Amino acid sequence: YILSLRPLPHNDTPRPHLATQPTSARRPLPYICTMSMPAWEIALNTYWVKYASKISARDKMYRFAQYFSRMVYFQMEQSGAPKESVAWVKHISKTASTGRKFIRLGKFIDIWYKAYKHLAKHSVSLTSEKDLINCLGIMALIADMIFYVWDFLRWFEEAKIFQFNMNVKYKRTLWNAIRYGIKAVRYTLMLRTEKKDSKAFFSHRRLAIKSAIDFMNPMKGLKYNSLNDGQIGLLGVVTSCISMYDDFAK
């Protein structure tokens, strides 16, 4: 009756309680009625669906697709794959990159508000190691905010909406390197303040490693290293997996 949306049969005769009926008179209940909760509710309460419903989580999944396809098309070029196939995988990587920029439009406003709250809560001082960590946290938020401003402008150029009379790509890459460098130093210092083998210690160690690896990507754009697209893609896949693991671990 539930699946067919037909009204339940009306009967004025009172029915005896199920417990008072003989076993032979009881009708077997459908399987879906014997479950503790509906099947759709079970599906919607899975960790994966809950995770994918967040914008930041989808950005990390797109990031994984972007760098994985970048690693794949480099290997395809090295193995002499058809140019059409290589171009198709390159298009996936570029589309994922542009899509991530579109998702992050206006994110610099959120980062600015976080930096304001952090600055109001902590004083800017270098009298102790804890104060230094707090100061680096504010600097990381400011660097994030400036990066997302250039990221916002870069999307306008990639979408061919407007072309600016300045090197937006270079400035975006520069601030990307600055923010990851600050984060790597900050999380490394935070390891000194955490109890070894604690949950916070392992979390900060993963973030320190992730930030240090992510620092290598913009350094290639700034021509400070000679990593190829396959190596950059592999590093991006590793850091994307670390980010998603941290989200699931919370």
Short mmCIF file of all heavy atoms in Angstrom, two decimals, residues 147 149-157 162-175:
data_model
loop_
_atom_site.label_atom_id
_atom_site.label_comp_id
_atom_site.label_asym_id
_atom_site.label_seq_id
_atom_site.Cartn_x
_atom_site.Cartn_y
_atom_site.Cartn_z
N PHE A 147 45.22 35.41 -1.54
CA PHE A 147 45.25 34.40 -2.60
C PHE A 147 43.88 34.25 -3.25
O PHE A 147 43.78 34.16 -4.48
CB PHE A 147 45.72 33.06 -2.03
CG PHE A 147 45.43 31.89 -2.93
CD1 PHE A 147 46.21 31.65 -4.04
CD2 PHE A 147 44.36 31.05 -2.67
CE1 PHE A 147 45.94 30.59 -4.89
CE2 PHE A 147 44.08 29.98 -3.50
CZ PHE A 147 44.87 29.75 -4.62
N VAL A 149 41.52 36.38 -3.47
CA VAL A 149 41.21 37.55 -4.29
C VAL A 149 41.80 37.38 -5.69
O VAL A 149 41.11 37.58 -6.71
CB VAL A 149 41.74 38.84 -3.63
CG1 VAL A 149 41.64 40.02 -4.60
CG2 VAL A 149 40.95 39.15 -2.37
N TRP A 150 43.08 36.98 -5.77
CA TRP A 150 43.71 36.75 -7.07
C TRP A 150 43.10 35.54 -7.76
O TRP A 150 43.00 35.51 -8.99
CB TRP A 150 45.22 36.55 -6.89
CG TRP A 150 45.94 37.80 -6.49
CD1 TRP A 150 46.54 38.06 -5.30
CD2 TRP A 150 46.09 38.97 -7.28
NE1 TRP A 150 47.07 39.33 -5.29
CE2 TRP A 150 46.82 39.91 -6.50
CE3 TRP A 150 45.71 39.35 -8.56
CZ2 TRP A 150 47.15 41.17 -6.97
CZ3 TRP A 150 46.05 40.61 -9.03
CH2 TRP A 150 46.76 41.50 -8.24
N ASP A 151 42.68 34.55 -6.98
CA ASP A 151 42.01 33.39 -7.55
C ASP A 151 40.68 33.81 -8.20
O ASP A 151 40.31 33.31 -9.26
CB ASP A 151 41.76 32.36 -6.45
CG ASP A 151 41.25 31.04 -6.98
OD1 ASP A 151 42.01 30.34 -7.68
OD2 ASP A 151 40.09 30.68 -6.70
N PHE A 152 39.99 34.73 -7.55
CA PHE A 152 38.73 35.28 -8.06
C PHE A 152 38.96 35.99 -9.40
O PHE A 152 38.23 35.79 -10.37
CB PHE A 152 38.16 36.25 -7.02
CG PHE A 152 36.92 36.96 -7.44
CD1 PHE A 152 35.68 36.34 -7.38
CD2 PHE A 152 36.98 38.27 -7.89
CE1 PHE A 152 34.53 37.01 -7.76
CE2 PHE A 152 35.84 38.95 -8.27
CZ PHE A 152 34.61 38.31 -8.21
N LEU A 153 40.03 36.80 -9.46
CA LEU A 153 40.34 37.53 -10.70
C LEU A 153 40.82 36.58 -11.80
O LEU A 153 40.52 36.80 -12.98
CB LEU A 153 41.40 38.59 -10.41
CG LEU A 153 41.03 39.67 -9.38
CD1 LEU A 153 42.19 40.63 -9.17
CD2 LEU A 153 39.78 40.42 -9.81
N ARG A 154 41.54 35.54 -11.40
CA ARG A 154 42.03 34.58 -12.39
C ARG A 154 40.88 33.83 -13.05
O ARG A 154 40.94 33.51 -14.24
CB ARG A 154 42.98 33.59 -11.70
CG ARG A 154 43.58 32.54 -12.63
CD ARG A 154 44.35 33.15 -13.76
NE ARG A 154 44.88 32.14 -14.67
CZ ARG A 154 45.31 32.40 -15.90
NH1 ARG A 154 45.28 33.64 -16.38
NH2 ARG A 154 45.76 31.43 -16.67
N TRP A 155 39.81 33.56 -12.29
CA TRP A 155 38.65 32.90 -12.89
C TRP A 155 38.02 33.77 -13.97
O TRP A 155 37.58 33.27 -14.99
CB TRP A 155 37.61 32.58 -11.82
CG TRP A 155 36.37 31.95 -12.39
CD1 TRP A 155 36.19 30.65 -12.71
CD2 TRP A 155 35.16 32.63 -12.74
NE1 TRP A 155 34.93 30.45 -13.24
CE2 TRP A 155 34.27 31.66 -13.27
CE3 TRP A 155 34.72 33.94 -12.65
CZ2 TRP A 155 32.99 31.97 -13.71
CZ3 TRP A 155 33.44 34.26 -13.09
CH2 TRP A 155 32.59 33.27 -13.61
N PHE A 156 37.99 35.08 -13.76
CA PHE A 156 37.46 35.99 -14.78
C PHE A 156 38.25 35.88 -16.07
O PHE A 156 37.68 35.92 -17.17
CB PHE A 156 37.49 37.44 -14.26
CG PHE A 156 36.26 37.83 -13.51
CD1 PHE A 156 36.16 37.61 -12.16
CD2 PHE A 156 35.19 38.43 -14.17
CE1 PHE A 156 35.01 37.98 -11.45
CE2 PHE A 156 34.04 38.80 -13.48
CZ PHE A 156 33.95 38.56 -12.12
N GLU A 157 39.57 35.73 -15.94
CA GLU A 157 40.40 35.61 -17.14
C GLU A 157 40.20 34.26 -17.82
O GLU A 157 40.09 34.19 -19.05
CB GLU A 157 41.87 35.81 -16.77
CG GLU A 157 42.23 37.23 -16.39
CD GLU A 157 43.72 37.43 -16.25
OE1 GLU A 157 44.45 36.43 -16.09
OE2 GLU A 157 44.17 38.60 -16.32
N PHE A 162 36.83 38.90 -18.61
CA PHE A 162 37.58 40.16 -18.60
C PHE A 162 39.06 39.83 -18.49
O PHE A 162 39.45 38.91 -17.78
CB PHE A 162 37.13 41.05 -17.43
CG PHE A 162 37.71 42.43 -17.46
CD1 PHE A 162 37.13 43.41 -18.26
CD2 PHE A 162 38.83 42.75 -16.72
CE1 PHE A 162 37.66 44.69 -18.28
CE2 PHE A 162 39.37 44.01 -16.74
CZ PHE A 162 38.78 44.99 -17.53
N GLN A 163 39.88 40.58 -19.20
CA GLN A 163 41.33 40.43 -19.16
C GLN A 163 41.95 41.64 -18.46
O GLN A 163 41.70 42.78 -18.86
CB GLN A 163 41.91 40.27 -20.56
CG GLN A 163 41.44 39.01 -21.29
CD GLN A 163 41.91 37.74 -20.63
OE1 GLN A 163 43.05 37.66 -20.14
NE2 GLN A 163 41.04 36.73 -20.60
N PHE A 164 42.70 41.40 -17.40
CA PHE A 164 43.30 42.48 -16.63
C PHE A 164 44.67 42.84 -17.18
O PHE A 164 45.37 42.00 -17.76
CB PHE A 164 43.43 42.07 -15.16
CG PHE A 164 42.11 41.78 -14.50
CD1 PHE A 164 41.62 40.48 -14.44
CD2 PHE A 164 41.35 42.79 -13.94
CE1 PHE A 164 40.42 40.19 -13.83
CE2 PHE A 164 40.14 42.52 -13.33
CZ PHE A 164 39.67 41.22 -13.28
N ASN A 165 45.06 44.09 -16.99
CA ASN A 165 46.35 44.58 -17.48
C ASN A 165 47.45 44.33 -16.45
O ASN A 165 48.23 45.23 -16.11
CB ASN A 165 46.26 46.07 -17.81
CG ASN A 165 45.34 46.34 -18.98
OD1 ASN A 165 45.27 45.55 -19.92
ND2 ASN A 165 44.61 47.44 -18.92
N MET A 166 47.49 43.13 -15.91
CA MET A 166 48.53 42.74 -14.96
C MET A 166 48.64 41.23 -14.98
O MET A 166 47.73 40.54 -15.44
CB MET A 166 48.21 43.26 -13.55
CG MET A 166 46.82 42.91 -13.06
SD MET A 166 46.47 43.68 -11.47
CE MET A 166 44.70 43.39 -11.34
N ASN A 167 49.74 40.75 -14.45
CA ASN A 167 49.99 39.31 -14.46
C ASN A 167 49.27 38.67 -13.27
O ASN A 167 49.86 38.42 -12.22
CB ASN A 167 51.49 39.04 -14.40
CG ASN A 167 51.83 37.62 -14.79
OD1 ASN A 167 50.97 36.73 -14.79
ND2 ASN A 167 53.08 37.38 -15.12
N VAL A 168 47.99 38.41 -13.45
CA VAL A 168 47.17 37.84 -12.38
C VAL A 168 47.64 36.43 -12.03
O VAL A 168 47.69 36.04 -10.85
CB VAL A 168 45.68 37.84 -12.78
CG1 VAL A 168 44.83 37.15 -11.73
CG2 VAL A 168 45.19 39.26 -13.00
N LYS A 169 48.00 35.65 -13.04
CA LYS A 169 48.43 34.27 -12.81
C LYS A 169 49.68 34.22 -11.93
O LYS A 169 49.77 33.39 -11.01
CB LYS A 169 48.70 33.58 -14.15
CG LYS A 169 49.09 32.12 -14.02
CD LYS A 169 49.29 31.48 -15.39
CE LYS A 169 49.68 30.02 -15.27
NZ LYS A 169 49.89 29.40 -16.60
N TYR A 170 50.64 35.10 -12.19
CA TYR A 170 51.86 35.12 -11.39
C TYR A 170 51.57 35.51 -9.94
O TYR A 170 52.08 34.89 -9.00
CB TYR A 170 52.86 36.10 -12.00
CG TYR A 170 54.09 36.32 -11.14
CD1 TYR A 170 55.13 35.39 -11.14
CD2 TYR A 170 54.19 37.44 -10.31
CE1 TYR A 170 56.25 35.58 -10.34
CE2 TYR A 170 55.30 37.63 -9.51
CZ TYR A 170 56.33 36.71 -9.52
OH TYR A 170 57.43 36.89 -8.72
N LYS A 171 50.75 36.54 -9.73
CA LYS A 171 50.44 37.00 -8.37
C LYS A 171 49.65 35.93 -7.61
O LYS A 171 49.87 35.74 -6.40
CB LYS A 171 49.67 38.31 -8.42
CG LYS A 171 50.48 39.47 -9.00
CD LYS A 171 49.70 40.75 -9.00
CE LYS A 171 50.49 41.89 -9.62
NZ LYS A 171 51.72 42.20 -8.88
N ARG A 172 48.76 35.23 -8.30
CA ARG A 172 48.03 34.14 -7.65
C ARG A 172 48.99 33.03 -7.23
O ARG A 172 48.90 32.50 -6.11
CB ARG A 172 46.97 33.59 -8.60
CG ARG A 172 46.20 32.40 -8.05
CD ARG A 172 45.29 31.81 -9.11
NE ARG A 172 44.60 30.63 -8.61
CZ ARG A 172 45.10 29.41 -8.60
NH1 ARG A 172 46.34 29.21 -9.09
NH2 ARG A 172 44.42 28.39 -8.12
N THR A 173 49.92 32.66 -8.11
CA THR A 173 50.89 31.61 -7.80
C THR A 173 51.80 32.03 -6.65
O THR A 173 52.13 31.22 -5.77
CB THR A 173 51.73 31.28 -9.04
OG1 THR A 173 50.85 30.94 -10.13
CG2 THR A 173 52.66 30.13 -8.78
N LEU A 174 52.20 33.31 -6.62
CA LEU A 174 53.08 33.81 -5.57
C LEU A 174 52.41 33.71 -4.20
O LEU A 174 53.02 33.20 -3.24
CB LEU A 174 53.46 35.26 -5.87
CG LEU A 174 54.31 35.97 -4.81
CD1 LEU A 174 55.66 35.29 -4.65
CD2 LEU A 174 54.49 37.44 -5.16
N TRP A 175 51.17 34.16 -4.10
CA TRP A 175 50.48 34.12 -2.82
C TRP A 175 50.08 32.70 -2.44
O TRP A 175 49.93 32.39 -1.25
CB TRP A 175 49.27 35.04 -2.84
CG TRP A 175 49.68 36.46 -2.63
CD1 TRP A 175 49.83 37.43 -3.57
CD2 TRP A 175 50.05 37.05 -1.39
NE1 TRP A 175 50.27 38.60 -3.00
CE2 TRP A 175 50.40 38.39 -1.65
CE3 TRP A 175 50.11 36.60 -0.07
CZ2 TRP A 175 50.80 39.27 -0.65
CZ3 TRP A 175 50.52 37.46 0.94
CH2 TRP A 175 50.86 38.78 0.65
#
